[in-house]
Amino acid sequence: MKKSFVVGLLLLSSLSLTACGTQSADKESTTTATSTTKKTKNYKYFVANNVFHENKGTVTINKVVGGNVKNKRVFFLDETVTNNSSKALSASSISSLTINAYQKNEDGSQEIQLNDQKSPSDLFDITNDPTGSQTDNYNLTIDIANHFSNRILPGKSAHLLSEFGYTLDNNKNDVKLELVNQTDIEPEISVNPHKNSYTVKIADINNNQLNLSEY
């Protein structure tokens, strides 16, 4: 009788320990899953539709505008830069991350990174300008580009033209704008790998001309 009672107690104790271990494992698993979920949601740098989210604010791509430079199609980003911080900041410090542009080549076999070293003033050839109209537009685009140095007040936005544009590889395929991960330079800047790009239609790039009066 006593022996049976002792065996019963041992069985109960064993079951109790197993249940505790299972609960502990379940709790640890839930905690790990929650941490993973939180990590995904805590990205400060990501792209949602046409809005590029950064630590200090957002950059909304309203449209693309462009023209030709030495028989090559070049396009620039028409942007709205918003300051979400608590102090006045220059547009360039809010829009501080690199946006690379990629386009498939004519036959679709490669994805080409587009050159991004053209400025809006490159659209106007002042070497042979007897009327002076090209020179006026050239100077105006330089003034417009300098707006990135102006400070945007907290909670406010500014309509701007990107300081640098991209040269197309071809006039056939769409272009992908991708927010660059900079953890190798600044560890605290990590871009959401699942939400990091926005596609621009080639038809928009080919059809939208730069209108300086908008800026």
Side-chain angles (χ1 to χ4, degrees), residues 47-80:
V47 182
N49 296 320
N50 62 326
V51 183
F52 288 67
H53 294 257
E54 304 186 19
N55 188 32
K56 300 170 185 175
T58 60
V59 177
T60 302
I61 309 300
N62 303 312
K63 60 182 179 179
V64 291
V65 296
N68 297 313
V69 177
K70 296 181 179 179
N71 298 320
K72 286 281 190 177
R73 187 68 180 172
V74 176
F75 72 94
F76 301 86
L77 306 179
D78 177 294
E79 306 175 342
T80 296

Side-chain angles (χ1 to χ4, degrees), residues 7-139:
V7 170
L9 283 177
L10 287 173
L11 282 171
L12 279 173
S13 177
S14 176
L15 287 170
S16 177
L17 286 171
T18 301
C20 288
T22 302
Q23 288 177 355
S24 178
D26 289 344
K27 185 176 180 181
E28 184 178 345
S29 176
T30 303
T31 303
T32 303
T34 303
S35 297
T36 303
T37 303
K38 284 183 177 179
K39 185 177 181 181
T40 302
K41 292 182 179 179
N42 282 341
Y43 282 109
K44 295 179 181 178
Y45 305 90
F46 62 95
V47 182
N49 296 320
N50 62 326
V51 183
F52 288 67
H53 294 257
E54 304 186 19
N55 188 32
K56 300 170 185 175
T58 60
V59 177
T60 302
I61 309 300
N62 303 312
K63 60 182 179 179
V64 291
V65 296
N68 297 313
V69 177
K70 296 181 179 179
N71 298 320
K72 286 281 190 177
R73 187 68 180 172
V74 176
F75 72 94
F76 301 86
L77 306 179
D78 177 294
E79 306 175 342
T80 296
V81 180
T82 302
N83 182 2
N84 290 336
S85 75
S86 58
K87 60 181 181 180
L89 296 171
S90 67
S92 58
S93 67
I94 298 170
S95 179
S96 60
L97 293 188
T98 301
I99 299 176
N100 285 343
Y102 297 90
Q103 183 185 30
K104 288 182 180 179
N105 62 354
E106 287 267 14
D107 63 12
S109 62
Q110 298 180 66
E111 193 172 56
I112 308 296
Q113 182 175 341
L114 302 183
N115 183 286
D116 62 353
Q117 294 303 306
K118 295 301 181 184
S119 64
S121 59
D122 291 327
L123 295 172
F124 304 99
D125 184 5
I126 61 174
T127 56
N128 183 23
D129 183 26
T131 64
S133 61
Q134 293 292 302
T135 301
D136 290 342
N137 288 332
Y138 177 90
N139 292 330

